[in-house]
Amino acid sequence: MVLSRSLAESGHYPAIDIEASISRVMPDIVEKEHMQMARELRRMYSTYQQNKDLISVGAYRAGSDPRIDMAIAKQPAIMEFLQQDMDEAVDFSRSLDELTQLLANG
């Protein structure tokens, strides 16, 4: 797990950099579908991050790339999913349900 100072400084808790973090044990402890959903979430997050500058200055035109369009549409939900309050505990089944819902909604 890789922690990010820039995420922490922006108030993102936990400050886990999901692009840099790789789990070697995840394939051994979760179902294949869960792995695929985690991979999809990471892909959308990375797509947004790689195009963040274009998006923020208005240089990206909607409809140019369906992957970027999806990443933009899902970004608020992704950020909400990846954050929690310092005193909030989220159990495994709730986290999996929320991930499933995030990816299922269009």
Side-chain angles (χ1 to χ4, degrees), residues 43-93:
R43 185 191 63 75
M44 279 193 286
Y45 180 86
S46 293
T47 296
Y48 184 88
Q49 294 304 317
Q50 292 166 6
N51 293 281
K52 189 176 184 176
D53 291 339
L54 292 174
I55 296 164
S56 66
V57 298
Y60 176 74
R61 198 170 35 200
S64 300
D65 185 327
R67 291 176 311 115
I68 298 173
D69 293 340
M70 178 64 75
I72 292 169
K74 296 279 189 176
Q75 187 64 13
I78 291 170
M79 295 310 292
E80 184 177 332
F81 176 76
L82 294 176
Q83 297 181 61
Q84 65 191 53
D85 291 331
M86 290 184 119
D87 60 350
E88 179 183 11
V90 179
D91 65 38
F92 181 81
S93 62

Side-chain angles (χ1 to χ4, degrees), residues 9-74:
E9 289 171 349
S10 70
H12 182 111
Y13 178 83
I16 299 169
D17 181 341
I18 67 166
E19 289 181 293
S21 299
I22 299 172
S23 173
R24 289 185 217 129
V25 298
M26 191 174 179
D28 297 329
I29 60 174
V30 301
E31 301 291 329
K32 185 176 181 177
E33 181 182 11
H34 185 165
M35 283 291 298
Q36 291 170 336
M37 288 190 299
R39 199 172 302 124
E40 177 65 14
L41 178 81
R42 189 176 293 114
R43 185 191 63 75
M44 279 193 286
Y45 180 86
S46 293
T47 296
Y48 184 88
Q49 294 304 317
Q50 292 166 6
N51 293 281
K52 189 176 184 176
D53 291 339
L54 292 174
I55 296 164
S56 66
V57 298
Y60 176 74
R61 198 170 35 200
S64 300
D65 185 327
R67 291 176 311 115
I68 298 173
D69 293 340
M70 178 64 75
I72 292 169
K74 296 279 189 176

